Amino acid sequence: MGRVRIGQGYDVHKIAEGLPMWLCGVQVPSDRGFVAHSDGDVAIHALCDAILGALSLGDIGKHFPDTSPEFKGIDSKLLLARVLDLAREQGYHVGNLDITIALQAPKLRPHIDRMRACLSEIVGCPLDCVSVKATTTERLGFVGRGEGCEVWAVVLMEQ
Ligand code: MG
């Protein structure tokens, strides 16, 4: 086996009414969604940062500035594909990944399998190497008040 590198990513997006809610490439039915320059897929953003972090390639803001019109409203799946290209240039692919989403509502359980399937396809690793978990914060803090969504991602990159 070649070298392995671990990376972690973290992101938060604010919640507002009337916006789409994208998580892990899947649209979650909700009358509220994420405020963002892109499509607001906070989970994919955290995953991108984990991959970039594993390879010491900076962060998502460096590669895709939120001041750039090129990335306005962009599908975050495209950002992830670009990050995976950067990893591939360094000879790395995703070994496995693990994502934790903290969101008060709606319940994400019915959507988790679709999220895993979506990420598995983009990242190009088997379904059993793609973990997506969801939790509430027991109504505590900004997540608990429904003001935002917080996501942590950990990834192992293999050469
Ligand atoms: Mg973000």
Side-chain angles (χ1 to χ4, degrees):
M1 187 163 87
R3 292 193 341 134
V4 295
R5 315 244 334 207
I6 191 169
Q8 66 104 22
Y10 170 75
D11 198 19
V12 171
H13 277 252
K14 194 171 165 180
I15 292 174
E17 277 177 29
L19 293 173
M21 179 175 282
W22 287 95
L23 283 168
C24 298
V26 167
Q27 187 166 11
V28 175
S30 174
D31 55 357
R32 296 146 62 77
F34 304 131
V35 179
H37 185 68
S38 66
D39 67 2
D41 193 326
V42 54
I44 284 190
H45 297 175
L47 178 58
C48 286
D49 261 359
I51 295 167
L52 292 169
L55 304 176
S56 303
L57 289 173
D59 58 37
I60 195 171
K62 173 183 163 185
H63 292 275
F64 314 111
D66 65 7
T67 49
S68 165
E70 188 193 345
F71 305 119
K72 178 123 185 69
I74 194 169
D75 181 343
S76 294
K77 294 190 275 297
L78 299 176
L79 303 182
L80 176 57
R82 288 214 211 175
V83 166
L84 290 163
D85 283 342
L86 291 173
R88 211 166 289 126
E89 284 168 19
Q90 310 260 330
Y92 281 92
H93 63 274
V94 173
N96 75 296
L97 65 93
D98 185 19
I99 291 174
T100 302
I101 303 168
L103 182 69
Q104 192 61 44
K107 286 271 173 270
L108 295 180
R109 169 119 354 152
H111 311 291
I112 293 286
D113 285 344
R114 269 197 308 146
M115 292 177 183
R116 292 179 61 216
C118 179
L119 291 182
S120 163
E121 188 167 329
I122 301 168
V123 165
C125 65
L127 201 54
D128 68 352
C129 293
V130 177
S131 163
V132 178
K133 314 190 297 300
T135 185
T136 70
T137 60
E138 302 284 343
R139 305 207 166 271
L140 294 170
F142 69 85
V143 170
R145 290 189 296 271
E147 296 167 4
C149 178
E150 198 170 26
V151 180
W152 297 262
V154 176
V155 68
L156 197 71
M157 302 299 292
E158 296 174 355
Q159 218 166 20

